[in-house]
Amino acid sequence: MSVSHLSGPLIVNSGVYGDNGTGGGEHWFVDAAAANLDGKDWDGAFTTIQKAVDQASAGDTIHVAPKTAGYDETITVLFAKNNLTLIGEGGRGSVFIITTTAGAEGMEVRANDVMLINVGVEAADAADYALRVFGSRFRAYGCKFEGPTANVVRVGPGTIAQTTAPITHGRGGDILFYDCEFAWGGTGIVVTSSNFGACTQLRVYRCHFHNLTVACVGENDVGVIGAGRNIWLDECIFDVGEDGAVPTDFIDLDSVGTTGRIYKCTFATTVHASALIQIAAGVLYLGNQTQAEGPATGGGTAGRPD
């Protein structure tokens, strides 16, 4: 039977996903085994995600069917596609963008208000990143992001030229990752500034970082003082590799001017050490714990790595 609409409410982060606040948009369907017709239902679903993105308008929703080997493509969400939602149907982890073209990235989001739900993204060897987010108010729920890349995920604004008329890239603010996984690369999340300014209001909640060689969360300060403002890392797990290898840094957010908080996180180390957790004076380190210790105590500067 053809399906052209959601059969019921979708629960995301204890809320009900609806129509992205647009008053209702079109629903598009992707299934590698389908007929690749008009994409309006499962029977006529497109066979690639990029085709659905190209066909969609701002405010639309794209439903993606599971595919065992993953969707071998690189996805670009242009600025005109604001308020777009991609939903991976099926069990967790059953929808993956796995790019095999040498040096190719997995996904680039230039638009604002884009949402990913249960969609994994993996880049090819020698790519700079698996996911690059320029747009503001990006949301990812229950997603997994993998290398093998230098940077698994990069977040932050476009340049001054890209964020002024004609606008081609977003300003990299108010970005959320909830219940996501970052693995198998150099750095899990790289907070990146530009000559436009810093990445602002990045929130990373209840996420898991593992098998990363350089850092779980790091920064690339380009053009301004401090890569990020109000970077919140809450209730996350910062783990080692499967072979027990520890990244060079669990956290590297020590540029002058970087602000935020690291709150109630767990680190796979024995001490709250500055050698592994490098943070600027403007980053609060509160209520965190290691595998060998209880939670750090105090507020303000108390409990900071030393």
Side-chain angles (χ1 to χ4, degrees):
M1 180 178 68
S2 297
V3 179
S4 59
H5 59 279
L6 291 172
S7 58
L10 179 66
I11 306 301
V12 177
N13 193 15
S14 301
V16 178
Y17 162 76
D19 57 17
N20 248 356
T22 63
E26 294 284 342
H27 289 266
W28 304 93
F29 297 82
V30 178
D31 185 345
N36 197 28
L37 299 176
D38 60 7
K40 295 285 183 75
D41 56 34
W42 287 117
D43 291 339
F46 296 134
T47 55
T48 67
I49 300 171
Q50 187 64 58
K51 186 172 182 178
V53 170
D54 292 342
Q55 186 66 34
S57 300
D60 287 357
T61 298
I62 297 171
H63 305 267
V64 185
K67 183 183 180 185
T68 301
Y71 290 83
D72 188 354
E73 50 183 314
T74 295
I75 309 301
T76 302
V77 183
L78 298 176
F79 191 77
K81 306 293 183 175
N82 292 329
N83 217 9
L84 202 64
T85 297
L86 281 77
I87 301 175
E89 305 290 351
R92 180 160 180 162
S94 60
V95 174
F96 237 96
I97 300 164
I98 302 179
T99 305
T100 61
T101 302
E105 284 76 32
M107 187 173 193
E108 182 175 299
V109 178
R110 302 178 187 176
N112 295 327
D113 302 292
V114 171
M115 185 186 300
L116 294 185
I117 302 171
N118 190 32
V119 175
V121 183
E122 180 179 345
D125 290 334
D128 187 46
Y129 54 81
L131 171 70
R132 177 63 164 100
V133 178
F134 291 98
S136 294
R137 297 175 300 280
F138 173 85
R139 301 287 185 264
Y141 299 98
C143 299
K144 183 175 183 179
F145 306 100
E146 298 187 26
T149 61
N151 311 303
V152 178
V153 173
R154 291 183 61 141
V155 294
T159 64
I160 292 174
Q162 293 169 337
T163 56
T164 54
I167 301 173
T168 59
H169 295 63
R171 298 183 175 188
D174 188 7
I175 294 169
L176 171 67
F177 293 94
Y178 186 94
D179 188 25
C180 293
E181 185 178 350
F182 304 83
W184 303 107
T187 301
I189 299 178
V190 179
V191 182
T192 303
S193 61
S194 73
N195 62 358
F196 171 83
C199 175
T200 59
Q201 295 177 287
L202 168 66
R203 293 170 291 168
V204 184
Y205 289 166
R206 298 183 178 180
C207 292
H208 183 201
F209 297 80
H210 64 92
N211 290 283
L212 299 163
T213 58
V214 179
C216 296
V217 179
E219 61 185 350
N220 181 29
D221 187 13
V222 180
V224 298
I225 297 178
R229 302 287 190 274
N230 296 324
I231 309 302
W232 286 16
L233 311 176
D234 286 8
E235 300 180 43
C236 294
I237 297 173
F238 297 99
D239 214 339
V240 297
E242 290 182 353
D243 59 356
V246 179
T248 302
D249 298 298
F250 282 112
I251 307 291
D252 182 9
L253 294 173
D254 62 350
S255 291
V256 175
T258 294
T259 63
R261 78 177 189 186
I262 303 168
Y263 176 64
K264 294 179 70 173
C265 294
T266 301
F267 295 86
T269 182
T270 57
V271 293
H272 300 273
S274 59
L276 295 173
I277 305 168
Q278 302 191 51
I279 53 179
V283 179
L284 300 179
Y285 188 85
L286 305 170
N288 300 290
Q289 65 181 8
T290 70
Q291 62 184 9
E293 298 177 326
T297 59
T301 58
R304 294 174 65 85
D306 54 25

